Amino acid sequence: MKKKIKAILDCDPGHDDALAILVASASSRLNLAGITVVAGNQTLDNTVNNTLKIVELAEIDTAVYAGYGKPLIRELTTAPEVHGESGLDGPILPDPGTAAADRHAVRFIIDTVRQSEQKITLIPTGPLTNIAAALLGAPDIHDKIEQICFMGGAARGGNWSPAAEFNILVDPEAAAFVMQTDIPKTMIGLDVTRKALLYPEDIEKIKNLGNPVARVAGELLEYYLQYHLEKKKMPGCPLHDPLAVAAVLEPDIISSRPYAVKVETAGRHTTGSTVVDFDGDRFGRPNVNVALEVDRERFVELVLESLHSYKS
Ligand code: BDR
Ligand code: CA
């Protein structure tokens, strides 16, 4: 039997983060060492509370650690227009049955990577604040990280500005630091997540999978879908964050190529953009595997299989 991948999911729920938690927790290929939480889609109080609600809903036996409440340098930008005032608006979710663990997320990441015999995969699906703080605070752990498979950035375009994707735009300094480390990295950016759409009929299938977790996941997705149909005029909703989890579980779901990538931190109109050196002769050697294509059919199948596995 293949060894399980040992991972930490660092998230800011967020509807798609909630789905990422559910897909990661359902997988028999993943040993989820912990869920760390950062401010992003909402304030830290809200993102932690939302994480604990999802953990309660799906009876997930993984501890939750609260991290940074604001970006390294800047003020926090949140996304209530996408995820609502709570960060996870839509269906009524159960009250959390437990509190967050009594250890800072950054401390947890450092301790876990240091103490683990196996290399750890980091899956950040929010701003990279916790990850940057851990890597800055403990250079000795860099070699013990298998890879950072992060949702964020875009080789072309943006969603929070014409040039930048939300997670990178919220904390560009953190992203810039993470990007220049020698740790293997995969960028699951808008180039692929905008192709990883869930259509209304997919959401209907999820609601009808026949278990309470899938039903609530479907209702969360219905809320998230409305924004993309009405405001973004998209035919479905992009499942950004679950795609980062899927790319760890089944790397063939995406195709990627190594490029040199830098994060813009001082642009007048381009702050937070991930600049990809496609010609390969300006930024030096490649530092990021940039995902450019996705097998949408297989990805949606994986999401359905994951949600189907919860108890009825
Ligand atoms: C990213 O921003 C957040 O709103 C989502 O949760 C996702 O991580 C997409 O740009
Ligand atoms: Ca997110």
Side-chain angles (χ1 to χ4, degrees):
M1 215 181 88
K2 264 178 107 178
K3 204 167 182 190
K4 283 189 179 191
I5 300 160
K6 193 168 174 186
I8 296 172
L9 179 64
D10 185 71
C11 57
D12 64 333
H15 294 74
D16 53 337
D17 299 84
L19 265 289
I21 296 172
L22 294 174
V23 172
S25 303
S27 173
S28 55
R29 270 161 285 168
L30 208 69
N31 166 6
L32 193 57
I35 303 173
T36 54
V37 187
V38 68
N41 283 320
Q42 261 301 332
T43 59
L44 186 67
D45 280 353
N46 281 333
T47 55
V48 169
N49 200 30
N50 293 341
T51 306
L52 293 169
K53 285 179 173 181
I54 295 299
V55 163
E56 182 71 21
L57 168 77
E59 298 178 24
I60 296 169
D61 189 18
T62 305
V64 173
Y65 300 84
Y68 269 72
K70 72 184 274 300
L72 293 182
I73 295 172
R74 296 166 193 253
E75 290 310 310
L76 178 66
T77 302
T78 58
E81 47 277 68
V82 187
H83 301 279
E85 289 303 326
S86 72
L88 207 46
D89 278 13
I92 295 171
L93 296 167
D95 285 335
T98 50
D102 194 15
R103 190 163 22 151
H104 194 280
V106 172
R107 187 75 261 158
F108 169 76
I109 295 170
I110 294 173
D111 292 348
T112 307
V113 177
R114 260 190 199 145
Q115 287 156 17
S116 176
E117 279 174 21
Q118 194 183 340
K119 283 193 174 186
I120 306 251
T121 296
L122 301 179
I123 313 176
T125 62
L128 287 162
T129 322
N130 288 341
I131 304 297
L135 299 179
L136 271 163
D140 60 295
I141 68 172
H142 293 205
D143 284 350
K144 294 193 66 189
I145 296 170
E146 183 71 38
Q147 68 152 326
I148 303 175
C149 185
F150 66 96
M151 190 285 132
R156 295 188 178 89
N159 61 357
W160 219 251
S161 82
E165 180 280 330
F166 179 78
N167 288 339
I168 306 296
L169 184 57
V170 171
D171 198 342
E173 285 75 21
F177 179 78
V178 171
M179 222 63 82
Q180 55 76 54
T181 64
D182 283 335
I183 302 164
K185 293 171 276 311
T186 304
M187 176 167 119
I188 306 295
L190 300 177
D191 315 286
V192 276
T193 65
R194 278 182 168 159
K195 295 176 192 158
L197 293 183
L198 269 197
Y199 298 115
E201 55 271 27
D202 299 316
I203 296 177
E204 223 24 64
K205 275 191 208 157
I206 288 176
K207 279 174 62 187
N208 292 328
L209 281 172
N211 70 63
V213 173
R215 188 179 45 75
V216 175
E219 289 168 4
L220 283 168
L221 286 165
E222 278 178 336
Y223 180 93
Y224 181 64
L225 175 70
Q226 279 321 305
Y227 168 82
H228 293 91
L229 294 180
E230 285 164 19
K231 298 274 166 23
K232 293 283 183 178
K233 306 290 177 217
M234 291 168 94
C237 54
L239 268 196
H240 304 287
D241 296 341
L243 188 56
V245 175
V248 169
L249 298 177
E250 288 186 28
D252 288 348
I253 279 186
I254 51 139
S255 4
S256 62
R257 291 191 60 182
Y259 288 109
V261 179
K262 289 189 191 288
V263 178
E264 176 60 85
T265 55
R268 267 181 73 201
H269 305 294
T270 54
T271 297
S273 61
T274 42
V275 185
V276 178
D277 182 9
F278 279 112
D279 286 346
D281 57 358
R282 298 288 169 191
F283 285 174
R285 65 188 168 88
N287 57 341
V288 181
N289 275 317
V290 179
L292 294 168
E293 290 303 331
V294 54
D295 181 347
R296 191 199 86 92
E297 298 299 312
R298 176 59 202 138
F299 171 58
V300 173
E301 218 173 86
L302 175 65
V303 172
L304 281 159
E305 286 165 12
S306 307
L307 294 173
H308 192 226
S309 74
Y310 285 95
K311 78 171 187 244
S312 37

